[in-house]
């Protein structure tokens, strides 16, 4: 039971530190230097102790400065923050003790120094180092957290995924932490104030820059976690419809109540039917629009986690490394999120991903729909599933991209025989790019798959695999591409490219244009969308088949099985294509053109190109095809060109 409590402890710690910083505010009268000894703040679940604080250039005398911590001045937090001025505030050590139930966490920061404090803004702040420890009850059973922050948050997530030995203690080292341009006055506004009705406040910076040189966590038998340097900049927030402090307080109270209720016999999961739950849901959804995470990166993450033993599997060690995690302008696309240099190993298997990224992804439209749903009266909040238009809950997809995937998987060997080489799977590039969306459906779509490597293994009962191996294909190298775009002004769907192929095998390419594709195709009314789809017409279709070695190998393999010469089979297949297609397609000029091109391609495989366009300017629709009494009549409705090279 480490993950969720750690999240709450982190929230308490942030709230407590914010309370301290907000309390330090008075109008400067004259500069004063003094020392405060033995400062202790008890917030119940969180206790903050500072053995010694040195204040330089303060506008207050010592007694007035100390009195700011009791919160009894009668002034608002924002007013007090606007009066905070000091040349420097420093402390050799600050300790934060947090406890929930039987769990206890202690964080110590050393050599803390704030400088250039003017009108509620801290110009620079540093903590030279720190330590963190947590003690857990031996019977604790971890729960998966919705989110957990900081170093212990990473540990909580790792433990929640399973560890063979539940740790009873966690210890870690924190390296230097620093920040610039921390706006405590604006933080106070976000925490304690709310925007006027109908007014959207401006998004303002909370800090200019943040750096954390790294940390290490030792979870004992459960594993280890470490992270290198982390930087961030441009984190901003706005005053929302509710004070953030109130939302956090309500959320923590509700989480505590639900956690307690979940322990009762016959407990049911919470729903959104009560007014309190719906109000909490609306408050949390509103936070999405009130924060901007700016840009930043984290480097050199490493994790070693021990998986739990089960009745059918022994405990194993999972190793993972990430060279870089970036977001915002530090990501390759200058937006979104990226993971670079991911390596993993477990159970004898290992792999890596050079880069995994997304850009243009957004949840704004989905959250707006959720807020609209939760804003309805309670009986309407949980409608029947068949009445919900799920397309409204599709996020803005943007671009998803993966580069450089490779995985090696060990093969089980047979007793007394040499070990088999590992199976290798790889992918050079995968990219999904969605354009502007209409009712959740992309109006343009691009899909690219380059160099998907898949091994061909010998398996009983799989003649296709045996034939591929006989033709020399031990590893398939496949690529594919789709590029579609709807042109609203012309009511056309442009099929710019559809292709599929394999290295050393062949490639099929196609493109074309569909007409009468109206906006109704994207309608949330399924019946209307189906009618629009049936009304689409084909105006132009072009297909190209490129032989890159597959036909020769296929012919050689069939000749070997039939114990015949490849050339004899080639002539036979060419004759069958000529006579067979002529009989099937009929005597029209278009049929003869297609038959001749296919026959030449079979006789000498190279490139076969077929182009068909509708004679009618409106295109060839489904109704035109259904009314045909003879399939060969299709040639009367199209202009066809075919060629083999």
């Amino acid at each position: 039971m480490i993950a969720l409590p750690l999240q709450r402890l982190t929230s308490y710690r942030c709230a407590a530190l914010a309370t301290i910083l907000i309390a330090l505010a008075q109008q400067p009268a004259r500069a004063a230097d003094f020392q405060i000894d033995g400062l202790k703040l008890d917030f119940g679940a969180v206790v903050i102790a500072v053995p010694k604080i040195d204040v330089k250039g303060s506008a207050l005398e010592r007694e007035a400065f100390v009195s700011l911590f009791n919160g009894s001045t009668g002034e608002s937090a924002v007013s007090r923050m606007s009066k905070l001025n000091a040349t420097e505030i420093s402390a050799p050590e600050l300790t934060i003790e947090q406890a929930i139930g039987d769990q206890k966490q202690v964080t110590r920061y050393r050599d803390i120094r704030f400088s250039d404090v003017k009108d509620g803004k801290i110009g620079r702040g540093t903590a030279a180092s720190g330590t963190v420890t947590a003690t857990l009850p031996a019977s604790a059973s971890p729960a998966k957290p919705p989110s957990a922050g900081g170093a212990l948050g990473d540990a909580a997530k790792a433990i929640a995924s399973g560890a063979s030995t539940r740790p009873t203690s966690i210890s870690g080292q924190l390296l230097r932490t620093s920040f610039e341009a921390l706006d405590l006055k604006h933080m106070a506004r976000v925490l304690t104030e709310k925007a006027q009705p109908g007014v959207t406040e401006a998004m303002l910076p909370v800090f200019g820059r943040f750096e954390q040189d790294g940390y290490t966590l030792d979870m004992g038998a459960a594993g280890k976690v470490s992270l290198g340097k982390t930087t961030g900049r441009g984190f901003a927030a706005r005053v929302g419809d509710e004070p953030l402090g109130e939302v956090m307080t309500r959320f923590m109270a509700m989480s505590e109540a639900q956690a307690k209720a979940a322990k009762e016999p016959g407990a049911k999961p919470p729903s959104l039917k009560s007014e309190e739950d719906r109000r909490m849901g609306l408050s949390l959804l509103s936070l999405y629009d009130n924060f901007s995470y700016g840009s930043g990166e984290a480097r050199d993450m490493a994790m070693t986690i021990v998986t739990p033993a089960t009745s059918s599997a022994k405990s194993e060690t999972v190793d993972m490394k990430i060279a870089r995690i970036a977001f915002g302008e530090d990501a390759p696309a200058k937006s979104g999120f990226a993971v670079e240099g991911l390596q993993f190993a477990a159970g004898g298997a290992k792999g890596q991903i050079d880069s995994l990224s997304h850009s243009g992804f957004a949840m704004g439209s989905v959250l707006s729909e959720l807020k609209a749903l939760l804003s309805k009266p309670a009986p309407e909040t949980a409608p029947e599933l068949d009445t919900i238009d799920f397309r409204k809950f599709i996020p803005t997809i943007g671009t998803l991209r993966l580069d450089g995937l490779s995985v090696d998987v060990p093969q089980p060997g047979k007793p007394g025989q040499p070990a088999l080489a590992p199976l290798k799977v790889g992918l050079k590039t995968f990219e999904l790019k969605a354009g502007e969306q209409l009712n959740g459906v992309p109006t343009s779509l691009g899909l690219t798959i380059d160099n998907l490597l898949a091994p061909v293994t010998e398996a009983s009962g799989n003649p296709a695999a045996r034939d591929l191996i006989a033709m020399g294909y031990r590893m398939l190298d496949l690529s594919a591409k789709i590029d579609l775009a709807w042109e609203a002004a012309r009511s056309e769907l442009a099929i710019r490219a559809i292709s599929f192929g394999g290295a050393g095998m062949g490639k099929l390419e196609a493109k074309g244009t569909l007409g009468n594709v109206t906006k109704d195709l994207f309608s949330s009314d399924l019946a209307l969308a189906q009618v629009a789809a049936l009304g689409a017409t084909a105006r132009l279709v072009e297909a190209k088949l490129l032989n890159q070695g597959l036909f020769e190998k296929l012919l050689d393999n069939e000749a070997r099985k039939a114990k015949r010469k490849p050339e004899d089979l080639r002539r036979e297949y060419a004759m069958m294509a000529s006579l067979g297609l002529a009989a099937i397609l009929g005597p029209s000029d278009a049929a003869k053109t297609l038959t001749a091109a296919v026959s030449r391609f079979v006789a000498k495989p190279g490139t076969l190109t077929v182009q068909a366009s509708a004679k009618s300017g409106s295109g060839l629709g489904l109704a035109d095809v259904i009314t045909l009494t003879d399939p060969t009549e299709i040639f009367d409705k199209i202009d066809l060109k075919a060629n083999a090279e």
Side-chain angles (χ1 to χ4, degrees), residues 152-163 219 222 224-225 303-306:
L152 284 182
D154 292 336
K157 293 176 184 177
I159 296 171
S161 65
M219 300 179 292
K224 295 181 179 181
V225 179
M303 298 178 64
T304 298
I305 304 299
V306 181

Side-chain angles (χ1 to χ4, degrees), residues 43-120:
F43 298 97
V46 179
V47 177
I48 300 176
V50 188
K52 185 178 73 170
I53 300 176
D54 289 317
V55 181
K56 296 180 180 180
S58 170
L60 302 174
E61 296 294 341
R62 180 182 181 280
E63 291 74 14
F65 188 92
V66 173
S67 69
L68 296 179
F69 290 92
N70 61 27
S72 61
T73 62
E75 290 187 274
S76 69
V78 176
S79 176
R80 286 182 281 132
M81 289 309 305
S82 65
K83 300 175 183 178
L84 178 59
N85 289 272
T87 304
E88 183 178 274
I89 302 172
S90 62
E93 182 177 290
L94 182 148
T95 302
I96 303 174
E97 295 186 7
Q98 305 163 86
I100 291 184
D102 296 330
Q103 178 177 300
K104 182 178 180 181
Q105 177 183 325
V106 178
T107 305
R108 288 186 173 86
Y109 295 100
R110 296 188 177 89
D111 194 10
I112 303 160
R113 194 174 305 275
F114 300 152
S115 59
D116 193 20
V117 184
K118 295 180 180 179
D119 302 326

Side-chain angles (χ1 to χ4, degrees), residues 30 58 60 67 72 98 138 174 192 207 213 263 284 352 473:
R30 63 182 180 83
S58 170
L60 302 174
S67 69
S72 61
Q98 305 163 86
L174 309 176
T192 64
F207 64 78
D213 286 351
K263 298 179 181 179
L284 294 176
Q352 70 178 47
Y473 294 113

Side-chain angles (χ1 to χ4, degrees), residues 353-373:
I353 297 176
D354 291 343
S355 176
L356 179 63
S357 64
H358 76 71
S359 60
F361 181 86
M363 291 288 293
S365 59
V366 177
L367 297 179
S368 295
E369 291 295 333
L370 288 173
K371 286 193 284 187
L373 185 64

Side-chain angles (χ1 to χ4, degrees), residues 424-425 453-456 472-477 503:
K424 296 181 179 294
V425 178
L453 303 179
V456 180
Y473 294 113
R474 286 281 183 178
M475 178 72 72
L476 299 181
D477 184 349

Side-chain angles (χ1 to χ4, degrees), residues 1 4-5 7-8 12 143-144 146 249-281 284:
M1 196 66 181
L4 189 56
Q7 179 199 23
R8 295 174 186 146
Y12 288 144
K144 185 177 181 180
T249 300
R250 284 169 41 220
F251 177 71
M252 288 188 289
M254 181 176 289
S255 298
E256 290 283 356
Q258 291 178 351
K260 184 177 180 181
K263 298 179 181 179
E264 299 296 330
K268 296 181 179 180
S271 68
L272 292 175
K273 292 184 177 181
S274 73
E275 179 64 26
E276 181 185 12
D277 289 338
R278 291 191 301 111
R279 183 182 167 218
M280 187 74 256
L284 294 176

Side-chain angles (χ1 to χ4, degrees), residues 399-414:
T399 300
L400 305 176
R401 185 179 178 91
L402 180 149
D403 291 301
L405 167 68
S406 62
V407 179
D408 290 0
V409 181
Q411 294 190 78
K414 296 181 180 180

